[in-house]
Amino acid sequence: MDVDKTSLYPLLLDILTDISESHIVAIDLELSGIPSRKLRRDQRGNLQERYDELKKAADRFQVLQFGMTCVSQDVLNGKYILKPYNFDINPLVPERLGVDRVFAFQSGAIEFLLSQGFDISRPFKRGVPYLSRIEAVAARERHLMREDKSAIQDVPLKPTEVDAIAFVELTRKTIKEWMAANDTTIARDLSIGSGGNAKQDKGKSQKEKTQDAKELTRFEKRLVYQLVRSEFPELVAYNSRGRVKIARFDKTREDKLAAERQTESDARINKQKGLRWVVEALLGSDLSKLNLRDCAFDPQTGESIVADISDYRARLNRAQSKFRGRPRVLVGHNCFLDLVYMFRTFIGPLPDTVEDFQTRIHAMWPLIVDTKYMCTHNCSDINPISSLEQTAKQLGQLEQPVLEVPKKYSLYAKAPAFHEAGYDSYLTATVAVRLAAKLEREGNYVTPSMPGLGKQDEAPASSSPPAWKPSEAGIDWQHGGDPTISTDSVSEITPRDYRQAYDEVIWNSSFEGGMPALSSDFWRVYGNKLRVFGTDESVLTLGD
């Protein structure tokens, strides 16, 4: 399902519901640039060096598309329901928020996307907005700075600036005359137009007011504000249609106006969050500050609709009851890069060391599955071909388990859309489900001697073939690797350590021929390990 700036909020409750009902969520990104790796003739480099390259690139380049496929498990009917979403992302931020976002485009990356039919204008024309956590904080701080008049620096006028000095003098005189007048016919507010003329609003049409008070320049407005702030503390100045109006200070009124401005600022920031509401749901965050009135629009036309906000609230509460405090199981293919970019885009600045990144990302998503690692586990020192497209094609021959895509989400039913984030997330989901079921069914993935396994946890003996790995292109799947999993390939983070992060039903649910339950020791072997070919370590283990 394509989601753009018009349909994001109208569809948001449906999206949050799909996330809340998901067993796993597959993700994929399309980017405006990727790391330019230095040629290393003498060594591969280590994980820290690779992370430094990714960090530098994520600071420069932009996420243009975010793909997400929610996979729910139908235990009663023995099948999986896949719901793919594709989000174009608009990198622009309204200037009013005061957020300075700088991004770059890499020639090679854009050339590749264009060769795949990617419309480079779509993110800007149709893309959904977003604010990272750190950007939202910056926007709030910017609003507070604007509200703090004492922080505004005065503009010193030089003796040679004759016109500006004359403007200030005339404005000062006009204000004093207005304050001294006791005539009840004088308007409550004083309007200052170009040239410092004071005009009374009472009894005049808008046309007359506009004719009488010409628009001030930005510099003239600043001089008026400065004059009132420094010499007339009992007055207050505010902008009004290109002029500056001056009124007597009323604390009750000013507090009310300040509260209204704060509410408006919070509403703008919350709406600009856009896609981050989705990411926060994946993280199991509290979404109670979501303004449900933003959802009361037609997803096609963007026109407002009559909506039952109490029903919207009930739907949000039902979804939150399932995902709040329970981050989703995240799945990606070769997803180290994707996770780095997601952190930088939606959270904030990346940690300096790969160890800190491991800790942070593991705390956010306790269980992450890299299908690239699943494909290449126990591979030889010659890296097997394991691209997402090739792997999905080979696994697509399997009839079990059954995968179903509801008609509402059948965007990719007619034709593939390789290198579109939504489609690639869909392929990743199919690989995760089919490969996990295949490895569980045909591979003896643990031995009773593995550390941390009590007698009650021992894997049952099996005469099944050893673990599987992808073959070369064009050849069917074949056996490979050791017949058992070595002890040093088992994550030190056992499923029992993070089971509290997941719903009990999801944690233990499975069906014959399907994926192993999350409580299975299968995920100690294949979970929380990211494949990083081209490094000395070749794998990044999360939680270490």
Side-chain angles (χ1 to χ4, degrees), residues 197-231:
N197 295 318
K199 303 298 178 182
Q200 313 303 328
D201 285 345
K202 187 174 181 180
K204 292 187 177 182
S205 67
Q206 185 61 48
K207 182 178 180 180
E208 290 174 324
K209 295 175 186 177
T210 304
Q211 290 174 342
D212 289 340
K214 298 178 182 178
E215 288 192 2
L216 297 171
T217 65
R218 294 181 65 179
F219 181 64
E220 287 174 328
K221 288 181 181 179
R222 185 168 182 180
L223 291 177
V224 175
Y225 290 135
Q226 177 175 305
L227 176 65
V228 173
R229 185 173 62 250
S230 60
E231 298 185 19

PDB file of all heavy atoms in Angstrom, residues 197-231:
ATOM      1  N   ASN A 197       3.315  56.769  11.340  1.00  0.00           N
ATOM      2  CA  ASN A 197       2.008  57.375  11.553  1.00  0.00           C
ATOM      3  C   ASN A 197       1.131  56.481  12.415  1.00  0.00           C
ATOM      4  O   ASN A 197       0.999  55.289  12.166  1.00  0.00           O
ATOM      5  CB  ASN A 197       1.306  57.603  10.210  1.00  0.00           C
ATOM      6  CG  ASN A 197       2.052  58.612   9.356  1.00  0.00           C
ATOM      7  OD1 ASN A 197       2.501  59.623   9.874  1.00  0.00           O
ATOM      8  ND2 ASN A 197       2.191  58.324   8.072  1.00  0.00           N
ATOM      9  N   ALA A 198       0.488  57.047  13.398  1.00  0.00           N
ATOM     10  CA  ALA A 198      -0.417  56.290  14.263  1.00  0.00           C
ATOM     11  C   ALA A 198      -1.827  56.409  13.724  1.00  0.00           C
ATOM     12  O   ALA A 198      -2.317  57.494  13.463  1.00  0.00           O
ATOM     13  CB  ALA A 198      -0.349  56.842  15.683  1.00  0.00           C
ATOM     14  N   LYS A 199      -2.499  55.297  13.548  1.00  0.00           N
ATOM     15  CA  LYS A 199      -3.856  55.291  13.013  1.00  0.00           C
ATOM     16  C   LYS A 199      -4.782  54.571  13.975  1.00  0.00           C
ATOM     17  O   LYS A 199      -4.411  53.545  14.558  1.00  0.00           O
ATOM     18  CB  LYS A 199      -3.884  54.598  11.641  1.00  0.00           C
ATOM     19  CG  LYS A 199      -2.949  55.236  10.622  1.00  0.00           C
ATOM     20  CD  LYS A 199      -3.332  56.668  10.325  1.00  0.00           C
ATOM     21  CE  LYS A 199      -2.377  57.326   9.357  1.00  0.00           C
ATOM     22  NZ  LYS A 199      -2.708  58.720   9.104  1.00  0.00           N
ATOM     23  N   GLN A 200      -5.953  55.089  14.102  1.00  0.00           N
ATOM     24  CA  GLN A 200      -6.919  54.495  15.005  1.00  0.00           C
ATOM     25  C   GLN A 200      -7.773  53.487  14.234  1.00  0.00           C
ATOM     26  O   GLN A 200      -8.223  53.768  13.127  1.00  0.00           O
ATOM     27  CB  GLN A 200      -7.813  55.581  15.610  1.00  0.00           C
ATOM     28  CG  GLN A 200      -7.061  56.793  16.150  1.00  0.00           C
ATOM     29  CD  GLN A 200      -6.030  56.404  17.185  1.00  0.00           C
ATOM     30  OE1 GLN A 200      -6.239  55.442  17.907  1.00  0.00           O
ATOM     31  NE2 GLN A 200      -4.932  57.131  17.251  1.00  0.00           N
ATOM     32  N   ASP A 201      -7.990  52.323  14.827  1.00  0.00           N
ATOM     33  CA  ASP A 201      -8.745  51.260  14.162  1.00  0.00           C
ATOM     34  C   ASP A 201     -10.251  51.447  14.262  1.00  0.00           C
ATOM     35  O   ASP A 201     -11.001  50.983  13.419  1.00  0.00           O
ATOM     36  CB  ASP A 201      -8.394  49.900  14.791  1.00  0.00           C
ATOM     37  CG  ASP A 201      -7.019  49.447  14.339  1.00  0.00           C
ATOM     38  OD1 ASP A 201      -6.510  50.023  13.368  1.00  0.00           O
ATOM     39  OD2 ASP A 201      -6.474  48.524  14.965  1.00  0.00           O
ATOM     40  N   LYS A 202     -10.682  52.113  15.308  1.00  0.00           N
ATOM     41  CA  LYS A 202     -12.115  52.154  15.588  1.00  0.00           C
ATOM     42  C   LYS A 202     -12.888  52.846  14.467  1.00  0.00           C
ATOM     43  O   LYS A 202     -12.545  53.938  14.040  1.00  0.00           O
ATOM     44  CB  LYS A 202     -12.357  52.877  16.910  1.00  0.00           C
ATOM     45  CG  LYS A 202     -13.811  52.823  17.368  1.00  0.00           C
ATOM     46  CD  LYS A 202     -13.953  53.436  18.747  1.00  0.00           C
ATOM     47  CE  LYS A 202     -15.403  53.361  19.209  1.00  0.00           C
ATOM     48  NZ  LYS A 202     -15.577  53.944  20.553  1.00  0.00           N
ATOM     49  N   GLY A 203     -13.950  52.184  14.008  1.00  0.00           N
ATOM     50  CA  GLY A 203     -14.851  52.766  13.032  1.00  0.00           C
ATOM     51  C   GLY A 203     -14.339  52.763  11.612  1.00  0.00           C
ATOM     52  O   GLY A 203     -14.953  53.366  10.734  1.00  0.00           O
ATOM     53  N   LYS A 204     -13.230  52.089  11.343  1.00  0.00           N
ATOM     54  CA  LYS A 204     -12.677  52.083   9.996  1.00  0.00           C
ATOM     55  C   LYS A 204     -12.771  50.691   9.383  1.00  0.00           C
ATOM     56  O   LYS A 204     -12.641  49.688  10.078  1.00  0.00           O
ATOM     57  CB  LYS A 204     -11.214  52.533  10.012  1.00  0.00           C
ATOM     58  CG  LYS A 204     -11.033  53.995  10.383  1.00  0.00           C
ATOM     59  CD  LYS A 204      -9.592  54.417  10.212  1.00  0.00           C
ATOM     60  CE  LYS A 204      -9.417  55.903  10.510  1.00  0.00           C
ATOM     61  NZ  LYS A 204      -8.028  56.336  10.310  1.00  0.00           N
ATOM     62  N   SER A 205     -12.992  50.693   8.076  1.00  0.00           N
ATOM     63  CA  SER A 205     -13.030  49.418   7.368  1.00  0.00           C
ATOM     64  C   SER A 205     -11.612  48.892   7.215  1.00  0.00           C
ATOM     65  O   SER A 205     -10.637  49.634   7.374  1.00  0.00           O
ATOM     66  CB  SER A 205     -13.667  49.601   5.987  1.00  0.00           C
ATOM     67  OG  SER A 205     -12.830  50.412   5.167  1.00  0.00           O
ATOM     68  N   GLN A 206     -11.516  47.585   6.848  1.00  0.00           N
ATOM     69  CA  GLN A 206     -10.201  46.996   6.659  1.00  0.00           C
ATOM     70  C   GLN A 206      -9.465  47.688   5.513  1.00  0.00           C
ATOM     71  O   GLN A 206      -8.249  47.877   5.558  1.00  0.00           O
ATOM     72  CB  GLN A 206     -10.346  45.491   6.357  1.00  0.00           C
ATOM     73  CG  GLN A 206      -9.025  44.748   6.267  1.00  0.00           C
ATOM     74  CD  GLN A 206      -8.255  44.817   7.570  1.00  0.00           C
ATOM     75  OE1 GLN A 206      -8.795  44.580   8.640  1.00  0.00           O
ATOM     76  NE2 GLN A 206      -6.987  45.187   7.498  1.00  0.00           N
ATOM     77  N   LYS A 207     -10.211  48.094   4.480  1.00  0.00           N
ATOM     78  CA  LYS A 207      -9.587  48.777   3.347  1.00  0.00           C
ATOM     79  C   LYS A 207      -8.975  50.104   3.777  1.00  0.00           C
ATOM     80  O   LYS A 207      -7.859  50.457   3.391  1.00  0.00           O
ATOM     81  CB  LYS A 207     -10.622  49.005   2.246  1.00  0.00           C
ATOM     82  CG  LYS A 207     -10.052  49.661   0.994  1.00  0.00           C
ATOM     83  CD  LYS A 207     -11.120  49.803  -0.072  1.00  0.00           C
ATOM     84  CE  LYS A 207     -10.543  50.457  -1.325  1.00  0.00           C
ATOM     85  NZ  LYS A 207     -11.574  50.613  -2.380  1.00  0.00           N
ATOM     86  N   GLU A 208      -9.711  50.841   4.619  1.00  0.00           N
ATOM     87  CA  GLU A 208      -9.205  52.123   5.104  1.00  0.00           C
ATOM     88  C   GLU A 208      -7.970  51.939   5.970  1.00  0.00           C
ATOM     89  O   GLU A 208      -7.015  52.709   5.896  1.00  0.00           O
ATOM     90  CB  GLU A 208     -10.303  52.853   5.888  1.00  0.00           C
ATOM     91  CG  GLU A 208     -11.442  53.358   5.008  1.00  0.00           C
ATOM     92  CD  GLU A 208     -12.571  53.930   5.838  1.00  0.00           C
ATOM     93  OE1 GLU A 208     -12.821  53.373   6.930  1.00  0.00           O
ATOM     94  OE2 GLU A 208     -13.198  54.906   5.416  1.00  0.00           O
ATOM     95  N   LYS A 209      -8.007  50.889   6.806  1.00  0.00           N
ATOM     96  CA  LYS A 209      -6.850  50.627   7.672  1.00  0.00           C
ATOM     97  C   LYS A 209      -5.609  50.327   6.837  1.00  0.00           C
ATOM     98  O   LYS A 209      -4.513  50.808   7.116  1.00  0.00           O
ATOM     99  CB  LYS A 209      -7.137  49.434   8.593  1.00  0.00           C
ATOM    100  CG  LYS A 209      -8.258  49.662   9.587  1.00  0.00           C
ATOM    101  CD  LYS A 209      -8.517  48.375  10.356  1.00  0.00           C
ATOM    102  CE  LYS A 209      -9.734  48.505  11.261  1.00  0.00           C
ATOM    103  NZ  LYS A 209     -10.037  47.234  11.952  1.00  0.00           N
ATOM    104  N   THR A 210      -5.792  49.518   5.805  1.00  0.00           N
ATOM    105  CA  THR A 210      -4.660  49.141   4.957  1.00  0.00           C
ATOM    106  C   THR A 210      -4.098  50.345   4.219  1.00  0.00           C
ATOM    107  O   THR A 210      -2.888  50.500   4.067  1.00  0.00           O
ATOM    108  CB  THR A 210      -5.102  48.064   3.947  1.00  0.00           C
ATOM    109  OG1 THR A 210      -5.643  46.959   4.660  1.00  0.00           O
ATOM    110  CG2 THR A 210      -3.930  47.601   3.095  1.00  0.00           C
ATOM    111  N   GLN A 211      -5.017  51.228   3.757  1.00  0.00           N
ATOM    112  CA  GLN A 211      -4.569  52.423   3.043  1.00  0.00           C
ATOM    113  C   GLN A 211      -3.837  53.378   3.974  1.00  0.00           C
ATOM    114  O   GLN A 211      -2.853  54.013   3.596  1.00  0.00           O
ATOM    115  CB  GLN A 211      -5.771  53.123   2.408  1.00  0.00           C
ATOM    116  CG  GLN A 211      -6.384  52.350   1.239  1.00  0.00           C
ATOM    117  CD  GLN A 211      -7.649  52.992   0.724  1.00  0.00           C
ATOM    118  OE1 GLN A 211      -8.271  53.811   1.414  1.00  0.00           O
ATOM    119  NE2 GLN A 211      -8.043  52.633  -0.491  1.00  0.00           N
ATOM    120  N   ASP A 212      -4.329  53.507   5.204  1.00  0.00           N
ATOM    121  CA  ASP A 212      -3.738  54.450   6.148  1.00  0.00           C
ATOM    122  C   ASP A 212      -2.372  53.993   6.655  1.00  0.00           C
ATOM    123  O   ASP A 212      -1.484  54.811   6.869  1.00  0.00           O
ATOM    124  CB  ASP A 212      -4.672  54.667   7.336  1.00  0.00           C
ATOM    125  CG  ASP A 212      -5.902  55.474   6.930  1.00  0.00           C
ATOM    126  OD1 ASP A 212      -5.832  56.151   5.891  1.00  0.00           O
ATOM    127  OD2 ASP A 212      -6.909  55.406   7.650  1.00  0.00           O
ATOM    128  N   ALA A 213      -2.238  52.705   6.892  1.00  0.00           N
ATOM    129  CA  ALA A 213      -0.993  52.193   7.466  1.00  0.00           C
ATOM    130  C   ALA A 213      -0.307  51.275   6.464  1.00  0.00           C
ATOM    131  O   ALA A 213      -0.744  50.153   6.251  1.00  0.00           O
ATOM    132  CB  ALA A 213      -1.286  51.438   8.756  1.00  0.00           C
ATOM    133  N   LYS A 214       0.723  51.783   5.833  1.00  0.00           N
ATOM    134  CA  LYS A 214       1.458  50.984   4.867  1.00  0.00           C
ATOM    135  C   LYS A 214       2.283  49.922   5.586  1.00  0.00           C
ATOM    136  O   LYS A 214       2.598  50.052   6.761  1.00  0.00           O
ATOM    137  CB  LYS A 214       2.365  51.889   4.038  1.00  0.00           C
ATOM    138  CG  LYS A 214       1.608  52.938   3.232  1.00  0.00           C
ATOM    139  CD  LYS A 214       2.572  53.832   2.486  1.00  0.00           C
ATOM    140  CE  LYS A 214       1.821  54.919   1.717  1.00  0.00           C
ATOM    141  NZ  LYS A 214       2.756  55.822   1.012  1.00  0.00           N
ATOM    142  N   GLU A 215       2.655  48.888   4.841  1.00  0.00           N
ATOM    143  CA  GLU A 215       3.408  47.792   5.452  1.00  0.00           C
ATOM    144  C   GLU A 215       4.803  48.253   5.860  1.00  0.00           C
ATOM    145  O   GLU A 215       5.456  49.023   5.148  1.00  0.00           O
ATOM    146  CB  GLU A 215       3.518  46.618   4.484  1.00  0.00           C
ATOM    147  CG  GLU A 215       2.219  45.871   4.291  1.00  0.00           C
ATOM    148  CD  GLU A 215       2.425  44.560   3.562  1.00  0.00           C
ATOM    149  OE1 GLU A 215       3.592  44.232   3.246  1.00  0.00           O
ATOM    150  OE2 GLU A 215       1.429  43.869   3.318  1.00  0.00           O
ATOM    151  N   LEU A 216       5.226  47.750   6.999  1.00  0.00           N
ATOM    152  CA  LEU A 216       6.570  48.035   7.490  1.00  0.00           C
ATOM    153  C   LEU A 216       7.552  47.014   6.934  1.00  0.00           C
ATOM    154  O   LEU A 216       7.196  45.861   6.666  1.00  0.00           O
ATOM    155  CB  LEU A 216       6.599  47.967   9.020  1.00  0.00           C
ATOM    156  CG  LEU A 216       5.749  48.984   9.789  1.00  0.00           C
ATOM    157  CD1 LEU A 216       5.742  48.626  11.265  1.00  0.00           C
ATOM    158  CD2 LEU A 216       6.274  50.392   9.592  1.00  0.00           C
ATOM    159  N   THR A 217       8.783  47.439   6.800  1.00  0.00           N
ATOM    160  CA  THR A 217       9.829  46.481   6.460  1.00  0.00           C
ATOM    161  C   THR A 217      10.171  45.675   7.706  1.00  0.00           C
ATOM    162  O   THR A 217       9.808  46.041   8.834  1.00  0.00           O
ATOM    163  CB  THR A 217      11.091  47.203   5.966  1.00  0.00           C
ATOM    164  OG1 THR A 217      11.641  47.974   7.050  1.00  0.00           O
ATOM    165  CG2 THR A 217      10.773  48.121   4.793  1.00  0.00           C
ATOM    166  N   ARG A 218      10.869  44.566   7.511  1.00  0.00           N
ATOM    167  CA  ARG A 218      11.254  43.738   8.658  1.00  0.00           C
ATOM    168  C   ARG A 218      12.141  44.529   9.615  1.00  0.00           C
ATOM    169  O   ARG A 218      12.040  44.391  10.838  1.00  0.00           O
ATOM    170  CB  ARG A 218      11.990  42.483   8.172  1.00  0.00           C
ATOM    171  CG  ARG A 218      11.115  41.542   7.372  1.00  0.00           C
ATOM    172  CD  ARG A 218      11.871  40.307   6.936  1.00  0.00           C
ATOM    173  NE  ARG A 218      12.277  39.501   8.073  1.00  0.00           N
ATOM    174  CZ  ARG A 218      12.947  38.355   7.969  1.00  0.00           C
ATOM    175  NH1 ARG A 218      13.280  37.895   6.769  1.00  0.00           N
ATOM    176  NH2 ARG A 218      13.280  37.672   9.041  1.00  0.00           N
ATOM    177  N   PHE A 219      12.993  45.391   9.072  1.00  0.00           N
ATOM    178  CA  PHE A 219      13.873  46.192   9.916  1.00  0.00           C
ATOM    179  C   PHE A 219      13.069  47.202  10.730  1.00  0.00           C
ATOM    180  O   PHE A 219      13.319  47.405  11.925  1.00  0.00           O
ATOM    181  CB  PHE A 219      14.912  46.903   9.049  1.00  0.00           C
ATOM    182  CG  PHE A 219      15.886  47.741   9.829  1.00  0.00           C
ATOM    183  CD1 PHE A 219      16.765  47.159  10.733  1.00  0.00           C
ATOM    184  CD2 PHE A 219      15.920  49.123   9.670  1.00  0.00           C
ATOM    185  CE1 PHE A 219      17.666  47.932  11.455  1.00  0.00           C
ATOM    186  CE2 PHE A 219      16.811  49.900  10.388  1.00  0.00           C
ATOM    187  CZ  PHE A 219      17.687  49.301  11.280  1.00  0.00           C
ATOM    188  N   GLU A 220      12.073  47.833  10.100  1.00  0.00           N
ATOM    189  CA  GLU A 220      11.238  48.795  10.817  1.00  0.00           C
ATOM    190  C   GLU A 220      10.443  48.105  11.927  1.00  0.00           C
ATOM    191  O   GLU A 220      10.295  48.651  13.030  1.00  0.00           O
ATOM    192  CB  GLU A 220      10.286  49.487   9.835  1.00  0.00           C
ATOM    193  CG  GLU A 220      10.975  50.489   8.923  1.00  0.00           C
ATOM    194  CD  GLU A 220      10.051  51.049   7.864  1.00  0.00           C
ATOM    195  OE1 GLU A 220       9.137  50.309   7.426  1.00  0.00           O
ATOM    196  OE2 GLU A 220      10.226  52.213   7.460  1.00  0.00           O
ATOM    197  N   LYS A 221       9.936  46.911  11.632  1.00  0.00           N
ATOM    198  CA  LYS A 221       9.213  46.166  12.670  1.00  0.00           C
ATOM    199  C   LYS A 221      10.121  45.890  13.861  1.00  0.00           C
ATOM    200  O   LYS A 221       9.719  46.044  15.019  1.00  0.00           O
ATOM    201  CB  LYS A 221       8.696  44.841  12.105  1.00  0.00           C
ATOM    202  CG  LYS A 221       7.534  44.972  11.144  1.00  0.00           C
ATOM    203  CD  LYS A 221       7.096  43.596  10.669  1.00  0.00           C
ATOM    204  CE  LYS A 221       5.942  43.690   9.691  1.00  0.00           C
ATOM    205  NZ  LYS A 221       5.520  42.358   9.205  1.00  0.00           N
ATOM    206  N   ARG A 222      11.336  45.489  13.576  1.00  0.00           N
ATOM    207  CA  ARG A 222      12.260  45.177  14.669  1.00  0.00           C
ATOM    208  C   ARG A 222      12.547  46.412  15.514  1.00  0.00           C
ATOM    209  O   ARG A 222      12.654  46.329  16.740  1.00  0.00           O
ATOM    210  CB  ARG A 222      13.559  44.606  14.102  1.00  0.00           C
ATOM    211  CG  ARG A 222      14.519  44.137  15.177  1.00  0.00           C
ATOM    212  CD  ARG A 222      15.650  43.319  14.624  1.00  0.00           C
ATOM    213  NE  ARG A 222      16.527  42.851  15.690  1.00  0.00           N
ATOM    214  CZ  ARG A 222      17.611  42.105  15.497  1.00  0.00           C
ATOM    215  NH1 ARG A 222      17.940  41.727  14.266  1.00  0.00           N
ATOM    216  NH2 ARG A 222      18.357  41.729  16.523  1.00  0.00           N
ATOM    217  N   LEU A 223      12.642  47.571  14.867  1.00  0.00           N
ATOM    218  CA  LEU A 223      12.881  48.805  15.613  1.00  0.00           C
ATOM    219  C   LEU A 223      11.697  49.145  16.516  1.00  0.00           C
ATOM    220  O   LEU A 223      11.881  49.619  17.645  1.00  0.00           O
ATOM    221  CB  LEU A 223      13.161  49.955  14.648  1.00  0.00           C
ATOM    222  CG  LEU A 223      14.484  49.895  13.873  1.00  0.00           C
ATOM    223  CD1 LEU A 223      14.586  51.072  12.912  1.00  0.00           C
ATOM    224  CD2 LEU A 223      15.679  49.880  14.830  1.00  0.00           C
ATOM    225  N   VAL A 224      10.471  48.905  16.029  1.00  0.00           N
ATOM    226  CA  VAL A 224       9.286  49.168  16.855  1.00  0.00           C
ATOM    227  C   VAL A 224       9.267  48.230  18.058  1.00  0.00           C
ATOM    228  O   VAL A 224       9.046  48.661  19.201  1.00  0.00           O
ATOM    229  CB  VAL A 224       7.997  49.013  16.024  1.00  0.00           C
ATOM    230  CG1 VAL A 224       6.769  49.169  16.929  1.00  0.00           C
ATOM    231  CG2 VAL A 224       7.952  50.031  14.899  1.00  0.00           C
ATOM    232  N   TYR A 225       9.491  46.930  17.816  1.00  0.00           N
ATOM    233  CA  TYR A 225       9.521  45.973  18.926  1.00  0.00           C
ATOM    234  C   TYR A 225      10.580  46.365  19.948  1.00  0.00           C
ATOM    235  O   TYR A 225      10.366  46.301  21.166  1.00  0.00           O
ATOM    236  CB  TYR A 225       9.819  44.561  18.401  1.00  0.00           C
ATOM    237  CG  TYR A 225       8.707  43.940  17.591  1.00  0.00           C
ATOM    238  CD1 TYR A 225       8.980  43.277  16.396  1.00  0.00           C
ATOM    239  CD2 TYR A 225       7.386  43.999  18.018  1.00  0.00           C
ATOM    240  CE1 TYR A 225       7.973  42.697  15.647  1.00  0.00           C
ATOM    241  CE2 TYR A 225       6.367  43.423  17.278  1.00  0.00           C
ATOM    242  CZ  TYR A 225       6.667  42.776  16.091  1.00  0.00           C
ATOM    243  OH  TYR A 225       5.661  42.211  15.355  1.00  0.00           O
ATOM    244  N   GLN A 226      11.740  46.752  19.453  1.00  0.00           N
ATOM    245  CA  GLN A 226      12.848  47.121  20.332  1.00  0.00           C
ATOM    246  C   GLN A 226      12.497  48.342  21.175  1.00  0.00           C
ATOM    247  O   GLN A 226      12.780  48.383  22.383  1.00  0.00           O
ATOM    248  CB  GLN A 226      14.085  47.398  19.475  1.00  0.00           C
ATOM    249  CG  GLN A 226      15.306  47.861  20.233  1.00  0.00           C
ATOM    250  CD  GLN A 226      16.502  47.993  19.300  1.00  0.00           C
ATOM    251  OE1 GLN A 226      16.863  47.046  18.605  1.00  0.00           O
ATOM    252  NE2 GLN A 226      17.114  49.174  19.279  1.00  0.00           N
ATOM    253  N   LEU A 227      11.857  49.319  20.560  1.00  0.00           N
ATOM    254  CA  LEU A 227      11.477  50.539  21.269  1.00  0.00           C
ATOM    255  C   LEU A 227      10.470  50.240  22.379  1.00  0.00           C
ATOM    256  O   LEU A 227      10.625  50.708  23.522  1.00  0.00           O
ATOM    257  CB  LEU A 227      10.885  51.538  20.275  1.00  0.00           C
ATOM    258  CG  LEU A 227      10.353  52.849  20.863  1.00  0.00           C
ATOM    259  CD1 LEU A 227      11.487  53.658  21.479  1.00  0.00           C
ATOM    260  CD2 LEU A 227       9.626  53.662  19.786  1.00  0.00           C
ATOM    261  N   VAL A 228       9.447  49.470  22.058  1.00  0.00           N
ATOM    262  CA  VAL A 228       8.421  49.138  23.058  1.00  0.00           C
ATOM    263  C   VAL A 228       9.025  48.310  24.189  1.00  0.00           C
ATOM    264  O   VAL A 228       8.741  48.547  25.374  1.00  0.00           O
ATOM    265  CB  VAL A 228       7.253  48.380  22.391  1.00  0.00           C
ATOM    266  CG1 VAL A 228       6.271  47.869  23.437  1.00  0.00           C
ATOM    267  CG2 VAL A 228       6.547  49.275  21.383  1.00  0.00           C
ATOM    268  N   ARG A 229       9.864  47.358  23.835  1.00  0.00           N
ATOM    269  CA  ARG A 229      10.454  46.470  24.842  1.00  0.00           C
ATOM    270  C   ARG A 229      11.348  47.233  25.818  1.00  0.00           C
ATOM    271  O   ARG A 229      11.346  46.971  27.026  1.00  0.00           O
ATOM    272  CB  ARG A 229      11.250  45.375  24.132  1.00  0.00           C
ATOM    273  CG  ARG A 229      11.824  44.319  25.057  1.00  0.00           C
ATOM    274  CD  ARG A 229      12.459  43.176  24.277  1.00  0.00           C
ATOM    275  NE  ARG A 229      13.571  43.614  23.451  1.00  0.00           N
ATOM    276  CZ  ARG A 229      13.555  43.672  22.125  1.00  0.00           C
ATOM    277  NH1 ARG A 229      12.456  43.331  21.470  1.00  0.00           N
ATOM    278  NH2 ARG A 229      14.607  44.091  21.437  1.00  0.00           N
ATOM    279  N   SER A 230      12.108  48.213  25.317  1.00  0.00           N
ATOM    280  CA  SER A 230      13.093  48.892  26.159  1.00  0.00           C
ATOM    281  C   SER A 230      12.541  50.117  26.888  1.00  0.00           C
ATOM    282  O   SER A 230      12.984  50.437  27.995  1.00  0.00           O
ATOM    283  CB  SER A 230      14.296  49.307  25.307  1.00  0.00           C
ATOM    284  OG  SER A 230      13.887  50.192  24.273  1.00  0.00           O
ATOM    285  N   GLU A 231      11.549  50.813  26.293  1.00  0.00           N
ATOM    286  CA  GLU A 231      11.100  52.078  26.874  1.00  0.00           C
ATOM    287  C   GLU A 231       9.659  52.059  27.387  1.00  0.00           C
ATOM    288  O   GLU A 231       9.271  52.943  28.156  1.00  0.00           O
ATOM    289  CB  GLU A 231      11.248  53.201  25.838  1.00  0.00           C
ATOM    290  CG  GLU A 231      12.686  53.439  25.401  1.00  0.00           C
ATOM    291  CD  GLU A 231      12.813  54.630  24.466  1.00  0.00           C
ATOM    292  OE1 GLU A 231      11.879  55.472  24.451  1.00  0.00           O
ATOM    293  OE2 GLU A 231      13.838  54.727  23.760  1.00  0.00           O
TER     294      GLU A 231
END
